[in-house]
């Protein structure tokens, strides 16, 4: 009898356990389905100068907001150079998201379920990259200097990054100079502040630097061309994680996040960034005209730099090799 009572007790316990799950068996919606839990990896590549602060830190702040809305999903950001990122990708290592500028040559880029935000992120009829912030080119004019009929007399200091195209922006905006001195960004800034040349072709970074030291200057935004876009693409190999990666892109492009770009002294492609500083406000308002593909190779960009400078020095139009790359 004792064995029967023990057996009966076990059966009753089993029946009770089964009864607990019967509502879910009869109605799968009785209990919520488990949410995705995992880590989305994001690589940040600075291929051109920003304004102030860290784009990686900005992305991490956006990630914290995204995580609050998507329980169980974490976003981590790592900084890479374009060269290091290319090497990793060639060896088969891919992040879920990559934030980059022209010259990075990202691999394994996935098409996005988006309308066209900028021509540079499109390949044929599909969007593979969208810009989440941008910089811009401008002529910076020393107090007392002037530009007549869009012609800069004397020496024009040109701040040029490894892959950037300031001379293309100058030419397509209708300006020219008597002579050109092309330098890396920090050297160009030092030459301008420490010399007597009246005009520098720079970016938002130079506006911030000069304002911080109380330098007196004027600004003319260049509107004919811009390649200073910070793009973001999905490059992961997990279909499930790619869904959340694209959701993060949507969050990054939301008006609330875009309005915070003032913390970087950079600009939104979609508007909405307010600046008390009129020089930065003018850069935000400026239309950007032509651009180039986000997927041009580093070699193509180097070639553009050489051809555009040769044309400018010779007083000629941009060659067809460059015009054919414009979007």
């Amino acid at each position: 009898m004792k064995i029967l009572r023990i057996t009966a007790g076990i059966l009753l316990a089993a029946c009770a356990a089964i009864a607990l799950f019967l509502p879910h068996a009869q109605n799968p919606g009785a209990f919520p389905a488990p949410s995705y839990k995992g880590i989305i990896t994001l690589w940040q590549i600075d291929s051109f100068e920003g304004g102030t602060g860290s784009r990686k830190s900005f992305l991490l702040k956006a990630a914290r907001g995204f995580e609050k809305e998507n329980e169980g999903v974490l976003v981590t950001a790592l900084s890479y150079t374009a060269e290091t990122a290319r090497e990793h990708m060639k060896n088969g290592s891919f992040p879920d998201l990559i934030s980059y500028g022209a010259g990075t040559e990202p691999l394994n880029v996935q098409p996005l379920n988006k309308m066209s935000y900028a021509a540079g992120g499109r390949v044929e009829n599909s969007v593979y990259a969208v810009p989440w912030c941008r910089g811009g080119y401008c002529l910076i004019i020393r107090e007392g200097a002037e530009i007549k009929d869009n012609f800069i007399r004397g020496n024009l200091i040109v701040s040029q990054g490894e892959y950037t195209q300031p001379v293309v922006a100058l030419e397509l905006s209708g300006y020219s100079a008597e002579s050109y001195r092309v330098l890396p960004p920090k050297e160009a800034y030092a030459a301008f502040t420490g010399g007597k040349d009246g005009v520098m072709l720079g970016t938002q970074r130079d506006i911030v630097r000069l304002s911080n030291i109380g330098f007196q200057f004027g600004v003319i935004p260049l509107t004919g061309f811009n390649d200073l876009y910070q793009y973001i693409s999905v490059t992961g190999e997990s279909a499930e994680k790619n869904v959340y990666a694209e959701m993060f892109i949507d969050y990054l492009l939301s008006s609330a996040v875009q309005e915070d770009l003032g913390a970087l002294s950079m600009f939104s492609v979609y508007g909405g960034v307010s600046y008390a500083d009129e020089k930065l406000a003018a850069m935000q308002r400026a239309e950007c005209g032509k651009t180039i593909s986000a997927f041009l190779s580093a070699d193509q960009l180097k070639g553009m730099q050489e051809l555009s400078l040769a044309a400018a020095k010779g007083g000629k139009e941009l060659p067809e090799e460059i015009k054919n790359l414009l979007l």
Side-chain angles (χ1 to χ4, degrees):
M1 293 295 292
K2 185 175 181 180
I3 293 174
L4 289 173
R5 285 197 298 272
I6 294 172
T7 303
I10 293 172
L11 289 172
L12 285 171
C15 289
I18 293 170
L20 289 172
F21 290 95
L22 279 176
H24 188 236
Q26 296 168 357
N27 178 16
F31 300 124
S35 61
Y36 168 79
K37 294 184 184 296
I39 298 175
I40 305 297
T41 58
L42 187 161
W43 291 358
Q44 165 60 32
I45 291 96
D46 291 342
S47 54
F48 63 91
E49 284 197 312
T52 188
S54 162
R55 275 164 277 184
K56 175 188 170 183
S57 296
F58 186 93
L59 290 169
L60 284 172
K61 181 181 177 183
R64 302 296 83 84
F66 177 76
E67 291 165 357
K68 290 178 181 178
E69 296 183 5
N70 296 273
E71 186 177 356
V73 182
L74 301 177
V75 180
T76 182
L78 301 170
S79 294
Y80 283 91
T81 64
E83 292 76 15
T84 303
R86 280 197 296 267
E87 192 64 29
H88 280 298
M89 288 184 284
K90 287 177 181 177
N91 290 331
S93 177
F94 302 101
D96 300 302
L97 288 162
I98 183 169
S99 167
Y100 61 100
T104 302
E105 302 178 52
L107 300 176
N108 208 48
V109 178
Q110 307 296 317
L112 301 173
N113 184 29
K114 299 212 174 352
M115 299 297 288
S116 176
Y117 284 104
R122 293 183 66 87
V123 178
E124 295 181 348
N125 295 320
S126 297
V127 176
Y128 288 86
V130 292
W132 65 267
C133 71
R134 70 168 178 85
Y137 295 108
C138 58
L139 290 174
I140 295 173
I141 307 166
R142 183 189 298 274
E143 187 175 43
E146 60 179 339
I147 300 173
K148 291 185 178 180
D149 300 322
N150 289 6
F151 181 73
I152 301 158
R153 292 197 175 279
N155 202 41
L156 172 65
I157 295 176
V158 179
S159 174
Q160 180 172 277
E162 186 172 9
Y163 303 115
T164 64
Q165 308 295 327
V167 179
V168 175
L170 185 78
E171 292 285 301
L172 290 177
S173 299
Y175 289 87
S176 60
E178 188 173 353
S179 61
Y180 301 82
R181 185 182 178 192
V182 179
L183 296 169
K186 289 183 180 179
E187 291 181 27
Y189 168 79
F192 182 67
T193 54
K196 297 181 180 181
D197 292 314
V199 184
M200 175 170 68
L201 170 47
T203 71
Q204 72 289 333
R205 180 63 179 135
D206 297 297
I207 294 175
V208 172
R209 286 188 180 115
L210 292 168
S211 297
N212 286 342
I213 64 171
F215 198 90
Q216 298 300 306
F217 64 102
V219 166
I220 300 175
L222 297 182
T223 59
F225 171 87
N226 192 12
D227 61 322
L228 304 181
Y229 291 100
Q230 190 73 34
Y231 290 98
I232 189 165
S233 294
V234 173
T235 50
E237 298 184 293
S238 164
E240 184 179 24
K241 291 176 74 174
N242 285 354
V243 171
Y244 285 89
E246 188 157 353
M247 287 171 60
F248 178 74
I249 293 178
D250 291 335
Y251 182 80
L252 190 60
L253 301 184
S254 66
S255 59
V257 177
Q258 289 289 297
E259 288 169 2
D260 285 342
L261 287 174
L264 292 177
S265 296
M266 294 185 74
F267 317 110
S268 172
V269 175
Y270 321 105
V273 185
S274 298
Y275 283 104
D277 184 305
E278 179 52 37
K279 296 178 178 68
L280 292 174
M283 295 287 284
Q284 172 61 70
R285 293 192 300 267
E287 298 293 332
C288 293
K290 298 287 187 180
T291 190
I292 51 176
S293 172
F295 307 112
L296 291 183
S297 71
D299 287 343
Q300 286 176 300
L301 297 174
K302 292 287 189 182
M304 285 185 68
Q305 290 176 339
E306 294 172 3
L307 290 171
S308 61
L309 183 59
K313 286 182 174 180
K316 299 177 181 178
E317 290 187 358
L318 293 173
E320 291 300 317
E321 293 95 325
I322 291 179
K323 290 180 180 180
N324 291 337
L325 296 174
L326 299 176
L327 302 172

